[in-house]
Amino acid sequence: MRLGVLDVGSNTVHLLVVDAHHGAHPWPAHSEKVVLRLAEQIGPDGALTDAGADGLVKAVGMAKAASAGLEADDLIAFATSAVRDATNAAEVLARVRDETGVRLAVLSGADEARMTFLAVRRWFGWSAGRLLVLDIGGGSLEIAAGIDEDPDVAVSLPLGAGRLTRERLQVDPASAAPPSAEAVDKLREYVDGRLDKVVDQMTEIGWGRAVGTSKTFRTLARLAGAAPSGAGLWARRSLTRAGLRQVIGFIRHIPPAQLMELEGVSAGRAHQLLAGAVVAEAVMRRLDLESLDICPWALREGVILRRLDQLEPM
């Protein structure tokens, strides 16, 4: 079957169309995204602004049309932390449904962690043993650990790169000056404090292989010397704690407007990179991880795999 997955995240609205069937590897047929930065369009009252809602409706409508044009058999649409946290989420979801015909399912943070864990488990296989999976998104940090396809523990913390950039570093994408050393130190202290309970919980569960996934970890790994995207999906990539510290050492002195000039850094997320790096370093340090394997599959692939699992084999 041809399956479309529409991911409404904190930074982008991403449509992925894959060809797959039950028990098979899903192969990408089409991918497109619109940068909306919904998390940055939450007003002082906690509601998604009218402009943000307008952009979302337009982007979802375009994605639906693209999916239909590619003759997708089904379209799974979901939203994560930006919509989940908005005080007017119900109204926004109703408007999207009424104007586009698309029903957006809002995933909880724990569900995000579970779906991402499933994708990582399928990618590395059973030989990977007990897994620890880390995912830094725009609005939240997901951590999951376990031996099966469903993790023993799945947690979500409000430590996304976009959220912390906006709320703690208060960095503008066009800023000509990097955040102050004091602001970065305060951010590190804040992240450490939020990790306290989770560190004990994860340490008790234990793991044999630690994995990082999604855009932030991939970008940090690339800056630390991992293979570029041109090396292909199957190239082995990793991120060491020592390499991450070196990355932080130089990006903290680079203005956000110039970070996008670095190889592997996307323009839409460049200003969030430092906050994401601080979170990555804190998690690796607190969990005593010297390195992470980088997985190319994440939440979208997990959603696809779960849907395929629900299909009756031919």
Side-chain angles (χ1 to χ4, degrees), residues 77-310:
F78 63 90
T80 56
S81 63
V83 174
R84 182 171 69 232
D85 295 344
T87 56
N88 60 339
E91 292 86 347
V92 172
L93 292 171
R95 183 180 166 194
V96 170
R97 182 190 65 236
D98 293 343
E99 297 188 29
T100 69
V102 175
R103 292 180 178 271
L104 280 177
V106 178
L107 296 183
S108 69
D111 283 341
E112 284 189 59
R114 292 187 188 98
M115 294 290 187
T116 302
F117 186 90
L118 171 62
V120 174
R121 168 60 73 194
R122 293 283 178 89
W123 180 267
F124 286 110
W126 295 113
S127 63
R130 185 173 289 275
L131 286 172
L132 171 71
V133 177
L134 310 175
D135 176 1
I136 302 171
S140 57
L141 161 70
E142 275 70 52
I143 308 177
I147 188 67
D148 298 318
E149 291 198 333
D150 193 41
D152 297 324
V153 176
V155 298
S156 178
L157 297 172
L159 297 177
R163 182 194 299 272
L164 296 180
T165 298
R166 183 177 67 256
E167 297 179 356
R168 298 286 166 173
L169 292 182
Q170 299 179 340
V171 172
D172 183 272
S175 176
S180 67
E182 181 182 9
V184 176
D185 288 343
K186 287 184 176 179
L187 174 60
R188 183 177 289 110
E189 292 176 7
Y190 173 77
V191 173
D192 271 336
R194 295 304 300 256
L195 287 174
D196 284 342
K197 292 183 179 180
V198 175
V199 168
D200 292 339
Q201 187 178 19
M202 290 298 163
T203 301
E204 182 178 346
I205 291 294
W207 59 86
R209 186 171 193 166
V211 178
T213 188
S214 294
K215 186 66 173 180
T216 296
F217 275 117
R218 291 198 301 270
T219 301
L220 293 171
R222 177 69 190 106
L223 291 176
S229 58
L233 193 66
W234 310 104
R236 295 187 63 179
R237 297 174 175 88
S238 63
L239 173 65
T240 66
R241 202 160 94 203
L244 177 57
R245 285 197 297 264
Q246 291 179 339
V247 170
I248 294 175
F250 73 82
I251 67 172
R252 67 180 297 171
H253 301 296
I254 301 177
Q258 296 178 17
L259 281 174
M260 66 183 70
E261 299 174 10
L262 300 176
E263 183 181 355
V265 178
S266 62
R269 297 173 185 257
H271 66 297
Q272 303 176 8
L273 185 60
L274 179 57
V278 168
V279 174
E281 190 280 330
V283 176
M284 293 183 72
R285 170 170 44 82
R286 296 295 302 279
L287 294 178
D288 196 25
L289 302 173
E290 290 302 322
S291 67
L292 293 171
D293 291 320
I294 302 300
C295 180
W297 279 4
L299 177 59
R300 281 182 293 275
E301 287 77 13
V303 170
I304 291 168
L305 292 168
R306 181 64 73 210
R307 176 69 179 87
L308 292 175
D309 285 348
Q310 296 168 351

